[in-house]
Amino acid sequence: MPWQVHLSGEIHSDWRERIEQGAAAAGLDVVFTAPVTDHAASDAAGTAVFGDQGRPFWDDHVGAGVNAIRTRILIERADVVVVRFGERYRQWNAAFDAGYAAALGTPLITLHPPEHDHALKEVDRAALAVAREPEQVVEVLRYALGDAPA
């Protein structure tokens, strides 16, 4: 049965595609899931269903709830969760996803540049691996699935 790997976090770069392509090239038996990565669609998830709430705070509040339905289910079903913290934006939701995976006891891999080490020290402590590049995530998955890294 394939492992389910949830790819959470930053949505403005190609890191997900690099992991998915690397896993396919390595022949790994994995299925990838992710949050909604269209930023505008994600932001509008609540108002698209419940209408404008009258204030941006409440628009975000209902959107976060609708998005959390998807995210929580996918994290709970995951065999491994990978959380990417990018360089351009603060991903508070990514930190929450990492904490949720850690609380569930789901193996966690964080992915971020060295500049974020201090800010993410508690999150990284909960992770079983800290990667700098998407290709390192592929190698961890390859090893965990029983193949020696390249």
Side-chain angles (χ1 to χ4, degrees), residues 23-123:
L28 300 182
D29 191 15
V30 294
V31 173
F32 293 102
T33 63
V36 173
T37 58
D38 178 311
H39 199 157
S42 176
D43 282 352
T47 55
V49 175
F50 301 110
D52 189 317
Q53 300 299 298
R55 290 187 33 212
F57 172 85
W58 293 112
D59 289 343
D60 286 346
H61 183 77
V62 296
V66 171
N67 280 310
I69 293 168
R70 175 189 177 99
T71 300
R72 288 183 189 181
I73 288 169
L74 293 175
I75 289 174
E76 289 169 7
R77 290 180 182 168
D79 296 297
V80 177
V81 173
V82 179
V83 180
R84 163 79 175 153
F85 294 91
E87 299 173 23
R88 186 171 174 197
Y89 300 100
R90 293 180 180 100
Q91 290 91 38
W92 309 119
N93 58 320
F96 187 86
D97 291 355
Y100 190 57
L104 292 171
T106 304
L108 173 65
I109 301 169
T110 57
L111 173 60
H112 62 79
E115 296 79 36
H116 292 350
D117 284 351
H118 182 72
L120 292 171
K121 64 184 178 285
E122 286 84 2
V123 175

